[in-house]
Amino acid sequence: MASETDVSPLSFEDALKELEGIVEQLERGDVALEESIKIYERGAALKLHCQNKLQNAKLKIEQIVLKQNGDVETTAADVEA
């Protein structure tokens, strides 16, 4: 069975949406301490998952840059993290 912090099957968009919900819950402060700890752990896993997805996307963009004549050139993209 997957742990409660296993976020690997989630898309970037789903993970980000869930993370936003967790932030809202924690900001409201209406969650019991033990539950806050559990959802904070989940939020940390979601944050890392989103960061990794963005990093992978950035690397793909850096590897696929079309030259004006249509040839593929490997180069670094000007994308900020």
Side-chain angles (χ1 to χ4, degrees):
M1 183 174 124
S3 74
E4 291 181 15
T5 57
D6 181 16
V7 296
S8 58
L10 296 176
S11 69
F12 173 81
E13 294 79 8
D14 290 341
L16 185 59
K17 185 175 181 177
E18 185 177 342
L19 181 57
E20 289 170 346
I22 287 172
V23 169
E24 288 174 9
Q25 277 185 294
L26 292 172
E27 284 179 343
R28 282 193 312 265
D30 59 358
V31 181
L33 179 60
E34 291 300 318
E35 184 63 19
S36 291
I37 293 169
K38 285 182 186 179
I39 64 174
Y40 185 87
E41 288 175 343
R42 175 85 175 166
L46 289 164
K47 178 182 174 272
L48 181 60
H49 180 67
C50 288
Q51 286 175 326
N52 289 337
K53 290 276 192 185
L54 287 173
Q55 182 63 28
N56 288 338
K58 180 183 174 195
L59 291 174
K60 286 179 184 178
I61 291 168
E62 290 174 344
Q63 293 175 355
I64 304 170
V65 174
L66 295 178
K67 292 167 62 174
Q68 286 185 1
N69 66 4
D71 293 339
V72 176
E73 176 183 333
T74 302
T75 184
D78 187 17
V79 178
E80 293 185 25

